[in-house]
Amino acid sequence: MPELPAVVITRPRAQAGELAAAVAALGRRPVLLPLLEIAPLPDQTNLKAVLAGLAGYALVAFVSPNAIDAAFSHIVAWPPGVALAVLGEGSRAALLAHGVSDANARIASPGPDAASDSESLLRTLDLGALAGQQVLIVRGESGRELMADGFAAAGAIVTTVAAYQRRVPRMCAELAATLHGVLAAPNDWIVTSSEALRGLVALVEQLDGMSVSKLQQQHWIVPHARIAETARALGLARVTLTGSGDVRLLAALQS
């Protein structure tokens, strides 16, 4: 029986372990290839100042588990009465790791059958109740403006603060060897960020003797239409759109 393709997991390393274990449990070989590195801000003065005033916000929205972990390194206790909003189960788990749950705080997130994205969160919230209220968005240095625009359109007073850096890794001998290995034959790639996909193309362009056309032979499994659109814009046609959540990503590997 021929060996199944490897499953290349491109999430930041800290968020890849659970998915890799689930892939291995399916009898597939996971390959960790983090295409984004998460790093602390060089200057955290503004982040600390904003977080010191948490009690003044009606709602604090975190865009990712990384945003939660970075912010809670400066939060001693969550202020009573301040609601939280997150995009998915991974962020709920991150909050729980810091002692915040539905038992002691109001946490809003899209339902289990909804996509884990800003659009779904905005549909979940009672935006009208936020008119004239202070809302804080905690995210990386770069990101989509859709969430902030949605809150502002509802009449909320929106503050956005960066909590961490997100960057494509620099080319090195180890990364080059991994890329050559996974691009030598068609494999299944799980990509959960458009930024990561664009970064991958930039990295492959730096490889000696390797053409970006090798990427066209790969199978791309993505959870969001926005990432699928990015893939196709980059000339990658073998794209499977699953919807959000690891369960759907894993189901795509089995289909």
Side-chain angles (χ1 to χ4, degrees):
M1 183 176 177
E3 183 180 357
L4 291 170
V7 179
V8 185
I9 299 172
T10 63
R11 283 177 175 165
R13 193 171 298 276
Q15 281 85 54
E18 188 173 336
L19 181 58
V23 167
L26 296 177
R28 301 290 297 275
R29 179 172 66 91
V31 176
L32 298 187
L33 179 61
L35 291 177
L36 291 176
E37 296 176 340
I38 306 300
L41 297 173
D43 183 354
Q44 302 193 22
T45 304
N46 185 54
L47 174 62
K48 291 178 182 178
V50 171
L51 294 177
L54 277 180
Y57 292 96
L59 176 72
V60 179
F62 294 95
V63 301
S64 67
N66 293 314
I68 292 168
D69 291 339
F72 271 82
S73 65
H74 305 295
I75 299 170
V76 176
W78 190 255
V82 178
L84 303 94
V86 297
L87 300 184
E89 292 306 310
S91 289
R92 280 185 170 271
L95 285 176
L96 184 59
H98 294 286
V100 179
S101 70
D102 289 315
N104 56 24
R106 288 183 294 128
I107 307 173
S109 64
D113 296 325
S116 300
D117 56 23
S118 298
E119 293 92 335
S120 295
L121 178 62
L122 291 170
R123 286 193 293 268
T124 300
L125 294 168
D126 180 3
L127 294 178
L130 295 173
Q133 301 293 309
Q134 296 279 350
V135 172
L136 174 65
I137 299 173
V138 185
R139 67 179 204 184
E141 276 191 317
S142 60
R144 302 170 74 203
E145 299 299 331
L146 190 146
M147 185 186 295
D149 291 345
F151 286 134
I157 304 165
V158 183
T159 300
T160 300
V161 66
Y164 61 93
Q165 291 180 322
R166 189 171 57 181
R167 62 198 180 202
V168 176
R170 293 180 180 178
M171 183 61 74
C172 63
E174 180 183 2
L175 178 56
T178 301
L179 285 169
H180 275 288
V182 294
L183 291 172
N187 287 306
D188 294 321
W189 293 62
I190 294 177
V191 180
T192 54
S193 162
S194 292
E195 184 181 358
L197 200 50
R198 289 189 290 267
L200 173 63
V201 172
L203 287 168
V204 172
E205 288 173 342
Q206 300 176 44
L207 290 176
D208 293 333
M210 181 66 70
S211 168
V212 173
S213 64
K214 284 283 188 179
L215 295 174
Q216 298 170 352
Q217 303 171 17
Q218 309 299 314
H219 175 215
W220 307 94
I221 300 173
V222 304
H224 198 282
R226 186 176 65 256
I227 307 172
E229 291 167 4
T230 299
R232 294 186 180 107
L234 292 169
L236 311 178
R238 296 185 60 207
V239 180
T240 296
L241 175 61
T242 66
S244 61
D246 286 1
V247 171
R248 293 185 177 96
L249 294 170
L250 293 165
L253 289 173
Q254 298 174 280
S255 64

